[in-house]
Amino acid sequence: MDVKGDVGIAQLKSWIDGHHREVDGVHVFAIAGPPPFGESDNRWDIDIEIPIGPVILQLVGYIDLSTLDVDIAAYVKIPGLPALKVGELKGNLNDGIEISFDLVIIKGSLRLYIKDKCLWLAYELTVFGTTWSGDIELICLPI
């Protein structure tokens, strides 16, 4: 029996249990919370990855919990290629924040908004001619 391997698998399972959920067949991997260094009671950093079709949608940035203002960069990662920045989601979640993009092999739109104290994403992505769309709850916020 490989004890080190068993410990690694247990740690991986624990991490996945705390940072992954499946919502309507869409897998969401999220790391969110206050910055690890410095004081910032109202700021939550986020790093969310969502596999959609052949790509991974990445949302990286922060949410001000007192105002619900956000500054989040959106990337699309195609296997074998570096992540492509498709836009910046900046504004207030109460109003909803939307971007559209049209690159050579991927186009679509993303909309972040708040609903029932949770961060939601409405998306439509067309990759290599196939379209995926949905509206999913990402993470709940301590507001």
Side-chain angles (χ1 to χ4, degrees):
M1 178 198 305
D2 180 54
V3 176
K4 280 186 172 180
D6 290 343
V7 170
I9 290 171
Q11 290 172 330
L12 176 61
K13 182 180 180 335
S14 176
W15 187 91
I16 288 175
D17 288 345
H19 295 89
H20 167 264
R21 83 161 104 189
E22 184 179 348
V23 182
D24 297 329
V26 177
H27 293 267
V28 177
F29 296 86
I31 298 173
F37 306 110
E39 294 182 30
S40 181
D41 294 335
N42 296 324
R43 179 178 162 157
W44 253 34
D45 291 338
I46 65 163
D47 187 343
I48 298 173
E49 295 188 0
I50 309 159
I52 299 173
V55 302
I56 297 173
L57 175 63
Q58 300 172 320
L59 302 172
V60 180
Y62 73 88
I63 301 169
D64 183 321
L65 298 175
S66 64
T67 63
L68 294 179
D69 288 336
V70 301
D71 186 353
I72 297 172
Y75 300 88
V76 173
K77 173 76 173 100
I78 298 171
L81 298 174
L84 303 169
K85 186 173 185 179
V86 296
E88 289 276 336
L89 292 146
K90 290 184 181 184
N92 190 280
L93 290 173
N94 287 316
D95 302 327
I97 306 151
E98 186 168 357
I99 61 170
S100 297
F101 49 92
D102 189 354
L103 306 174
V104 175
I105 55 176
I106 184 167
K107 66 180 177 178
S109 63
L110 305 173
R111 181 175 179 268
L112 285 178
Y113 63 98
I114 195 84
K115 177 176 147 187
D116 300 327
K117 298 185 179 182
C118 294
L119 179 65
W120 283 72
L121 171 71
Y123 66 90
E124 183 173 302
L125 297 176
T126 301
V127 184
F128 305 123
T130 302
T131 300
W132 288 268
S133 62
D135 194 19
I136 57 173
E137 178 184 307
L138 299 177
I139 58 173
C140 290
L141 303 171
I143 55 174

